[in-house]
């Protein structure tokens, strides 16, 4: 079969990748005999501990302050359920129409 013709190419590419890994590991270990632990200085400034992580929309992720939570999240869940159901139905109908069934 045709797969037997590809076997030498697959084996040679695997061998080349293995040799590359060994050579790059040796090059890295030769250039730096020991690992170093580098850190950066602490960032300065900012508004303190009470500052929200997302500065430009302070109320965006404040789910606790959402008015009518049950209505909002119920509507979102129902919409997602509707979209998740409608897309596969549309896809099947489109394929059947395209196939002439």
């Amino acid at each position: 079969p045709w797969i037997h013709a590809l076997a030498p190419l697959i084996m040679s590419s695997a061998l080349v990748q293995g040799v590359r890994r060994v050579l790059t590991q040796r090059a890295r270990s030769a250039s730096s005999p020991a690992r170093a632990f580098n850190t950066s200085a602490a960032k300065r400034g900012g508004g303190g501990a009470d500052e929200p992580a997302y500065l430009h929309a302070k109320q965006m992720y404040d789910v606790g302050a959402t008015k009518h939570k049950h209505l909002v999240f119920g509507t979102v869940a129902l919409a997602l359920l509707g979209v998740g159901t409608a897309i596969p139905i549309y896809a099947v109908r489109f394929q059947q129409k395209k196939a002439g069934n």
Side-chain angles (χ1 to χ4, degrees), residues 37-41:
F37 185 76
N38 297 324
T39 62
S40 59

Side-chain angles (χ1 to χ4, degrees), residues 12-70:
S12 65
S13 67
L15 183 65
V16 168
Q17 287 177 357
V19 169
R20 280 186 189 159
R21 280 189 188 158
V22 169
L23 291 177
T24 55
Q25 287 175 354
R26 284 190 181 174
R28 285 182 187 159
S29 64
S31 62
S32 60
R35 288 186 169 186
F37 185 76
N38 297 324
T39 62
S40 59
K43 292 184 179 181
R44 297 178 185 260
D50 60 337
E51 182 177 78
Y54 196 70
L55 296 174
H56 302 291
K58 292 181 181 180
Q59 68 276 11
M60 180 180 278
Y61 298 115
D62 192 6
V63 176
T66 304
K67 294 179 183 176
H68 310 290
K69 268 191 278 190
H70 293 292

Side-chain angles (χ1 to χ4, degrees), residues 51-97:
E51 182 177 78
Y54 196 70
L55 296 174
H56 302 291
K58 292 181 181 180
Q59 68 276 11
M60 180 180 278
Y61 298 115
D62 192 6
V63 176
T66 304
K67 294 179 183 176
H68 310 290
K69 268 191 278 190
H70 293 292
L71 179 65
V72 169
F73 290 107
T75 305
V76 169
L78 193 61
L80 289 173
L81 181 67
V83 169
T85 304
I87 289 175
I89 291 172
Y90 174 77
V92 168
R93 287 187 179 172
F94 179 79
Q95 286 179 346
Q96 287 177 348
K97 186 175 84 172

